[in-house]
mmCIF file of all heavy atoms in Angstrom:
data_model
loop_
_atom_site.group_PDB
_atom_site.id
_atom_site.type_symbol
_atom_site.label_atom_id
_atom_site.label_comp_id
_atom_site.label_asym_id
_atom_site.label_seq_id
_atom_site.Cartn_x
_atom_site.Cartn_y
_atom_site.Cartn_z
ATOM 1 N N LEU A 1 0.845 -1.192 0.010
ATOM 2 C CA LEU A 1 -0.054 -0.014 -0.009
ATOM 3 C C LEU A 1 0.853 1.248 0.026
ATOM 4 O O LEU A 1 0.530 2.144 -0.707
ATOM 5 C CB LEU A 1 -0.853 -0.050 1.183
ATOM 6 C CG LEU A 1 -1.994 -1.077 1.267
ATOM 7 C CD1 LEU A 1 -2.678 -1.089 2.601
ATOM 8 C CD2 LEU A 1 -3.047 -0.818 0.172
ATOM 9 N N ILE A 2 1.958 1.320 0.742
ATOM 10 C CA ILE A 2 2.841 2.366 0.798
ATOM 11 C C ILE A 2 3.561 2.559 -0.579
ATOM 12 O O ILE A 2 3.631 3.721 -1.069
ATOM 13 C CB ILE A 2 3.933 2.215 1.908
ATOM 14 C CG1 ILE A 2 3.383 2.200 3.171
ATOM 15 C CG2 ILE A 2 4.930 3.326 1.780
ATOM 16 C CD1 ILE A 2 2.625 3.487 3.724
ATOM 17 N N ALA A 3 3.939 1.458 -1.116
ATOM 18 C CA ALA A 3 4.637 1.485 -2.517
ATOM 19 C C ALA A 3 3.817 2.041 -3.597
ATOM 20 O O ALA A 3 4.263 2.493 -4.622
ATOM 21 C CB ALA A 3 5.198 0.151 -2.769
ATOM 22 N N SER A 4 2.470 2.010 -3.394
ATOM 23 C CA SER A 4 1.497 2.445 -4.458
ATOM 24 C C SER A 4 1.703 3.942 -4.712
ATOM 25 O O SER A 4 1.239 4.412 -5.754
ATOM 26 C CB SER A 4 0.071 2.182 -4.143
ATOM 27 O OG SER A 4 -0.368 2.932 -3.020
ATOM 28 N N ARG A 5 2.199 4.644 -3.689
ATOM 29 C CA ARG A 5 2.311 6.139 -3.770
ATOM 30 C C ARG A 5 0.972 6.780 -3.925
ATOM 31 O O ARG A 5 0.915 7.961 -4.282
ATOM 32 C CB ARG A 5 3.272 6.559 -4.835
ATOM 33 C CG ARG A 5 4.692 5.996 -4.612
ATOM 34 C CD ARG A 5 5.666 6.379 -5.782
ATOM 35 N NE ARG A 5 5.845 7.803 -5.809
ATOM 36 C CZ ARG A 5 6.629 8.276 -6.789
ATOM 37 N NH1 ARG A 5 7.258 7.529 -7.635
ATOM 38 N NH2 ARG A 5 6.877 9.615 -6.926
ATOM 39 N N SER A 6 -0.126 6.087 -3.657
ATOM 40 C CA SER A 6 -1.431 6.649 -3.730
ATOM 41 C C SER A 6 -1.800 7.175 -2.334
ATOM 42 O O SER A 6 -1.583 6.480 -1.319
ATOM 43 C CB SER A 6 -2.507 5.494 -4.075
ATOM 44 O OG SER A 6 -3.790 5.905 -3.678
ATOM 45 N N GLU A 7 -2.174 8.404 -2.225
ATOM 46 C CA GLU A 7 -2.473 9.088 -0.936
ATOM 47 C C GLU A 7 -3.382 8.263 -0.114
ATOM 48 O O GLU A 7 -3.260 8.105 1.061
ATOM 49 C CB GLU A 7 -2.909 10.506 -1.187
ATOM 50 C CG GLU A 7 -3.239 11.228 0.089
ATOM 51 C CD GLU A 7 -3.599 12.689 -0.142
ATOM 52 O OE1 GLU A 7 -2.919 13.357 -1.017
ATOM 53 O OE2 GLU A 7 -4.577 13.199 0.491
ATOM 54 N N GLY A 8 -4.574 7.865 -0.756
ATOM 55 C CA GLY A 8 -5.543 7.239 -0.063
ATOM 56 C C GLY A 8 -5.063 5.778 0.540
ATOM 57 O O GLY A 8 -5.371 5.483 1.662
ATOM 58 N N LYS A 9 -4.321 5.125 -0.287
ATOM 59 C CA LYS A 9 -3.788 3.774 0.198
ATOM 60 C C LYS A 9 -2.746 3.953 1.253
ATOM 61 O O LYS A 9 -2.692 3.108 2.207
ATOM 62 C CB LYS A 9 -3.239 3.060 -1.033
ATOM 63 C CG LYS A 9 -4.206 2.505 -2.012
ATOM 64 C CD LYS A 9 -3.640 1.788 -3.137
ATOM 65 C CE LYS A 9 -4.741 1.233 -4.165
ATOM 66 N NZ LYS A 9 -4.071 0.486 -5.276
ATOM 67 N N ILE A 10 -1.946 4.957 1.167
ATOM 68 C CA ILE A 10 -0.904 5.159 2.196
ATOM 69 C C ILE A 10 -1.580 5.582 3.585
ATOM 70 O O ILE A 10 -1.224 5.096 4.659
ATOM 71 C CB ILE A 10 0.009 6.259 1.816
ATOM 72 C CG1 ILE A 10 0.940 5.804 0.595
ATOM 73 C CG2 ILE A 10 0.959 6.745 2.907
ATOM 74 C CD1 ILE A 10 1.788 6.906 0.007
ATOM 75 N N ILE A 11 -2.618 6.414 3.504
ATOM 76 C CA ILE A 11 -3.328 6.796 4.725
ATOM 77 C C ILE A 11 -3.962 5.620 5.283
ATOM 78 O O ILE A 11 -4.014 5.366 6.511
ATOM 79 C CB ILE A 11 -4.323 7.920 4.337
ATOM 80 C CG1 ILE A 11 -3.617 9.239 4.005
ATOM 81 C CG2 ILE A 11 -5.356 8.100 5.608
ATOM 82 C CD1 ILE A 11 -4.581 10.273 3.544
ATOM 83 N N LEU A 12 -4.678 4.748 4.395
ATOM 84 C CA LEU A 12 -5.247 3.512 4.867
ATOM 85 C C LEU A 12 -4.307 2.611 5.602
ATOM 86 O O LEU A 12 -4.537 2.045 6.649
ATOM 87 C CB LEU A 12 -5.922 2.819 3.721
ATOM 88 C CG LEU A 12 -6.598 1.350 4.086
ATOM 89 C CD1 LEU A 12 -7.743 1.573 4.921
ATOM 90 C CD2 LEU A 12 -6.938 0.651 2.742
ATOM 91 N N ALA A 13 -3.118 2.450 4.936
ATOM 92 C CA ALA A 13 -2.117 1.526 5.464
ATOM 93 C C ALA A 13 -1.693 1.929 6.927
ATOM 94 O O ALA A 13 -1.643 1.147 7.790
ATOM 95 C CB ALA A 13 -0.848 1.565 4.633
ATOM 96 N N ILE A 14 -1.429 3.159 6.999
ATOM 97 C CA ILE A 14 -0.967 3.662 8.348
ATOM 98 C C ILE A 14 -2.092 3.738 9.397
ATOM 99 O O ILE A 14 -1.871 3.318 10.548
ATOM 100 C CB ILE A 14 -0.345 5.155 8.264
ATOM 101 C CG1 ILE A 14 1.017 4.974 7.427
ATOM 102 C CG2 ILE A 14 -0.117 5.782 9.584
ATOM 103 C CD1 ILE A 14 1.576 6.258 7.052
ATOM 104 N N CYS A 15 -3.299 4.168 9.099
ATOM 105 C CA CYS A 15 -4.414 4.215 9.975
ATOM 106 C C CYS A 15 -4.798 2.860 10.508
ATOM 107 O O CYS A 15 -4.955 2.718 11.735
ATOM 108 C CB CYS A 15 -5.616 4.966 9.333
ATOM 109 S SG CYS A 15 -5.379 6.698 9.101
ATOM 110 N N VAL A 16 -4.900 1.888 9.604
ATOM 111 C CA VAL A 16 -5.289 0.575 10.099
ATOM 112 C C VAL A 16 -4.167 0.010 11.008
ATOM 113 O O VAL A 16 -4.447 -0.617 12.039
ATOM 114 C CB VAL A 16 -5.499 -0.391 8.942
ATOM 115 C CG1 VAL A 16 -5.717 -1.874 9.327
ATOM 116 C CG2 VAL A 16 -6.764 0.079 8.086
ATOM 117 N N GLY A 17 -2.925 0.184 10.598
ATOM 118 C CA GLY A 17 -1.822 -0.245 11.410
ATOM 119 C C GLY A 17 -1.848 0.331 12.848
ATOM 120 O O GLY A 17 -1.621 -0.411 13.813
ATOM 121 N N LEU A 18 -2.165 1.582 12.861
ATOM 122 C CA LEU A 18 -2.020 2.225 14.171
ATOM 123 C C LEU A 18 -3.336 1.861 15.047
ATOM 124 O O LEU A 18 -3.237 1.820 16.271
ATOM 125 C CB LEU A 18 -1.889 3.668 13.997
ATOM 126 C CG LEU A 18 -0.569 4.199 13.533
ATOM 127 C CD1 LEU A 18 -0.528 5.699 13.412
ATOM 128 C CD2 LEU A 18 0.565 3.834 14.505
ATOM 129 N N VAL A 19 -4.461 1.599 14.398
ATOM 130 C CA VAL A 19 -5.618 1.099 15.105
ATOM 131 C C VAL A 19 -5.329 -0.201 15.760
ATOM 132 O O VAL A 19 -5.683 -0.503 16.982
ATOM 133 C CB VAL A 19 -6.799 1.032 14.249
ATOM 134 C CG1 VAL A 19 -7.926 0.304 14.883
ATOM 135 C CG2 VAL A 19 -7.379 2.509 13.894
ATOM 136 N N LEU A 20 -4.704 -1.061 14.979
ATOM 137 C CA LEU A 20 -4.372 -2.367 15.521
ATOM 138 C C LEU A 20 -3.373 -2.287 16.606
ATOM 139 O O LEU A 20 -3.429 -3.017 17.609
ATOM 140 C CB LEU A 20 -3.854 -3.356 14.367
ATOM 141 C CG LEU A 20 -4.855 -3.689 13.297
ATOM 142 C CD1 LEU A 20 -4.198 -4.383 12.095
ATOM 143 C CD2 LEU A 20 -5.876 -4.685 13.883
ATOM 144 N N HIS A 21 -2.412 -1.412 16.446
ATOM 145 C CA HIS A 21 -1.432 -1.157 17.490
ATOM 146 C C HIS A 21 -2.049 -0.737 18.825
ATOM 147 O O HIS A 21 -1.742 -1.108 19.943
ATOM 148 C CB HIS A 21 -0.408 -0.120 17.086
ATOM 149 C CG HIS A 21 0.561 0.357 18.106
ATOM 150 N ND1 HIS A 21 0.311 1.430 18.889
ATOM 151 C CD2 HIS A 21 1.661 -0.240 18.609
ATOM 152 C CE1 HIS A 21 1.324 1.538 19.777
ATOM 153 N NE2 HIS A 21 2.205 0.561 19.592
ATOM 154 N N ALA A 22 -3.181 0.100 18.643
ATOM 155 C CA ALA A 22 -3.849 0.600 19.887
ATOM 156 C C ALA A 22 -4.473 -0.510 20.698
ATOM 157 O O ALA A 22 -4.648 -0.322 21.884
ATOM 158 C CB ALA A 22 -4.857 1.659 19.470
ATOM 159 N N PHE A 23 -4.861 -1.583 19.997
ATOM 160 C CA PHE A 23 -5.455 -2.711 20.780
ATOM 161 C C PHE A 23 -4.479 -3.288 21.727
ATOM 162 O O PHE A 23 -4.865 -4.007 22.723
ATOM 163 C CB PHE A 23 -5.961 -3.729 19.813
ATOM 164 C CG PHE A 23 -7.382 -3.562 19.290
ATOM 165 C CD1 PHE A 23 -7.599 -2.610 18.287
ATOM 166 C CD2 PHE A 23 -8.505 -4.157 19.878
ATOM 167 C CE1 PHE A 23 -8.869 -2.361 17.797
ATOM 168 C CE2 PHE A 23 -9.749 -3.950 19.449
ATOM 169 C CZ PHE A 23 -10.030 -2.972 18.457
ATOM 170 N N MET A 24 -3.210 -3.120 21.522
ATOM 171 C CA MET A 24 -2.140 -3.603 22.479
ATOM 172 C C MET A 24 -1.676 -2.456 23.346
ATOM 173 O O MET A 24 -1.657 -2.593 24.638
ATOM 174 C CB MET A 24 -0.939 -4.144 21.760
ATOM 175 C CG MET A 24 -1.130 -5.424 20.958
ATOM 176 S SD MET A 24 0.376 -5.931 20.130
ATOM 177 C CE MET A 24 0.528 -4.773 18.799
ATOM 178 N N TYR A 25 -1.454 -1.264 22.828
ATOM 179 C CA TYR A 25 -0.891 -0.187 23.544
ATOM 180 C C TYR A 25 -1.778 0.485 24.619
ATOM 181 O O TYR A 25 -1.424 0.867 25.639
ATOM 182 C CB TYR A 25 -0.375 0.940 22.561
ATOM 183 C CG TYR A 25 0.601 1.840 23.219
ATOM 184 C CD1 TYR A 25 1.835 1.271 23.738
ATOM 185 C CD2 TYR A 25 0.363 3.197 23.276
ATOM 186 C CE1 TYR A 25 2.785 2.145 24.291
ATOM 187 C CE2 TYR A 25 1.359 4.032 23.867
ATOM 188 C CZ TYR A 25 2.503 3.437 24.309
ATOM 189 O OH TYR A 25 3.448 4.243 24.925
ATOM 190 N N SER A 26 -3.093 0.482 24.225
ATOM 191 C CA SER A 26 -4.044 1.104 25.204
ATOM 192 C C SER A 26 -4.182 0.324 26.481
ATOM 193 O O SER A 26 -4.107 0.960 27.587
ATOM 194 C CB SER A 26 -5.438 1.270 24.488
ATOM 195 O OG SER A 26 -6.391 1.770 25.318
ATOM 196 N N PRO A 27 -4.538 -0.981 26.504
ATOM 197 C CA PRO A 27 -4.614 -1.715 27.788
ATOM 198 C C PRO A 27 -3.303 -1.925 28.439
ATOM 199 O O PRO A 27 -3.222 -2.356 29.562
ATOM 200 C CB PRO A 27 -5.358 -3.010 27.389
ATOM 201 C CG PRO A 27 -4.936 -3.178 25.879
ATOM 202 C CD PRO A 27 -4.793 -1.842 25.326
ATOM 203 N N GLN A 28 -2.212 -1.784 27.719
ATOM 204 C CA GLN A 28 -0.873 -2.041 28.292
ATOM 205 C C GLN A 28 -0.559 -1.296 29.526
ATOM 206 O O GLN A 28 -0.052 -1.892 30.510
ATOM 207 C CB GLN A 28 0.209 -1.789 27.228
ATOM 208 C CG GLN A 28 1.601 -2.128 27.577
ATOM 209 C CD GLN A 28 2.549 -1.724 26.457
ATOM 210 O OE1 GLN A 28 3.085 -0.558 26.559
ATOM 211 N NE2 GLN A 28 2.748 -2.567 25.550
ATOM 212 N N ALA A 29 -1.023 -0.016 29.695
ATOM 213 C CA ALA A 29 -0.660 0.750 30.887
ATOM 214 C C ALA A 29 -1.311 0.170 32.121
ATOM 215 O O ALA A 29 -0.596 -0.076 33.135
ATOM 216 C CB ALA A 29 -1.159 2.178 30.669
ATOM 217 N N ALA A 30 -2.589 -0.160 31.984
ATOM 218 C CA ALA A 30 -3.347 -0.746 33.181
ATOM 219 C C ALA A 30 -2.718 -2.215 33.466
ATOM 220 O O ALA A 30 -2.505 -2.506 34.567
ATOM 221 C CB ALA A 30 -4.792 -0.843 32.857
ATOM 222 N N PHE A 31 -2.515 -2.913 32.409
ATOM 223 C CA PHE A 31 -2.039 -4.322 32.469
ATOM 224 C C PHE A 31 -0.644 -4.360 33.217
ATOM 225 O O PHE A 31 -0.516 -5.064 34.211
ATOM 226 C CB PHE A 31 -1.848 -4.919 31.052
ATOM 227 C CG PHE A 31 -2.171 -6.358 30.972
ATOM 228 C CD1 PHE A 31 -2.538 -6.917 29.739
ATOM 229 C CD2 PHE A 31 -2.069 -7.204 32.054
ATOM 230 C CE1 PHE A 31 -2.855 -8.293 29.613
ATOM 231 C CE2 PHE A 31 -2.378 -8.590 31.976
ATOM 232 C CZ PHE A 31 -2.747 -9.077 30.746
ATOM 233 N N PHE A 32 0.280 -3.541 32.776
ATOM 234 C CA PHE A 32 1.581 -3.508 33.373
ATOM 235 C C PHE A 32 1.517 -3.053 34.875
ATOM 236 O O PHE A 32 2.199 -3.581 35.809
ATOM 237 C CB PHE A 32 2.593 -2.687 32.666
ATOM 238 C CG PHE A 32 3.049 -3.408 31.342
ATOM 239 C CD1 PHE A 32 2.388 -4.505 30.837
ATOM 240 C CD2 PHE A 32 4.202 -2.970 30.714
ATOM 241 C CE1 PHE A 32 2.906 -5.082 29.654
ATOM 242 C CE2 PHE A 32 4.644 -3.530 29.556
ATOM 243 C CZ PHE A 32 3.960 -4.592 29.053
ATOM 244 N N SER A 33 0.614 -2.080 35.109
ATOM 245 C CA SER A 33 0.517 -1.515 36.485
ATOM 246 C C SER A 33 -0.027 -2.626 37.455
ATOM 247 O O SER A 33 0.350 -2.640 38.626
ATOM 248 C CB SER A 33 -0.445 -0.314 36.470
ATOM 249 O OG SER A 33 0.081 0.733 35.710
ATOM 250 N N GLU A 34 -0.920 -3.438 36.908
ATOM 251 C CA GLU A 34 -1.541 -4.475 37.706
ATOM 252 C C GLU A 34 -0.625 -5.610 38.004
ATOM 253 O O GLU A 34 -0.948 -6.495 38.908
ATOM 254 C CB GLU A 34 -2.867 -4.877 37.048
ATOM 255 C CG GLU A 34 -3.915 -3.814 37.027
ATOM 256 C CD GLU A 34 -4.911 -3.918 35.931
ATOM 257 O OE1 GLU A 34 -4.796 -4.770 35.009
ATOM 258 O OE2 GLU A 34 -5.909 -3.138 36.009
ATOM 259 N N LEU A 35 0.433 -5.775 37.260
ATOM 260 C CA LEU A 35 1.347 -6.861 37.425
ATOM 261 C C LEU A 35 2.210 -6.829 38.675
ATOM 262 O O LEU A 35 2.697 -7.754 39.231
ATOM 263 C CB LEU A 35 2.253 -7.051 36.193
ATOM 264 C CG LEU A 35 1.686 -7.488 34.866
ATOM 265 C CD1 LEU A 35 2.718 -7.538 33.821
ATOM 266 C CD2 LEU A 35 0.968 -8.935 34.982
ATOM 267 N N PHE A 36 2.515 -5.590 39.150
ATOM 268 C CA PHE A 36 3.541 -5.310 40.192
ATOM 269 C C PHE A 36 2.895 -4.617 41.449
ATOM 270 O O PHE A 36 1.939 -3.962 41.306
ATOM 271 C CB PHE A 36 4.691 -4.447 39.596
ATOM 272 C CG PHE A 36 5.340 -4.963 38.424
ATOM 273 C CD1 PHE A 36 4.967 -4.666 37.168
ATOM 274 C CD2 PHE A 36 6.423 -5.932 38.579
ATOM 275 C CE1 PHE A 36 5.636 -5.259 36.053
ATOM 276 C CE2 PHE A 36 7.125 -6.459 37.516
ATOM 277 C CZ PHE A 36 6.643 -6.179 36.218
ATOM 278 N N GLY A 37 3.506 -5.075 42.544
ATOM 279 C CA GLY A 37 3.109 -4.396 43.802
ATOM 280 C C GLY A 37 3.452 -2.975 44.003
ATOM 281 O O GLY A 37 4.376 -2.473 43.265
ATOM 282 N N THR A 38 2.775 -2.132 44.810
ATOM 283 C CA THR A 38 2.896 -0.720 44.867
ATOM 284 C C THR A 38 4.327 -0.300 45.218
ATOM 285 O O THR A 38 4.839 0.622 44.626
ATOM 286 C CB THR A 38 1.965 -0.187 46.028
ATOM 287 O OG1 THR A 38 0.670 -0.635 45.679
ATOM 288 C CG2 THR A 38 1.968 1.282 46.022
#
């Protein structure tokens, strides 16, 4: 998608990638906090 040099495809590639990344990064803060004692 990036190699297409199409603006729409490049935006799609990055947006979908970052949304999928958010499924890990968002709960990570609470998850890691809950693993360890105060």
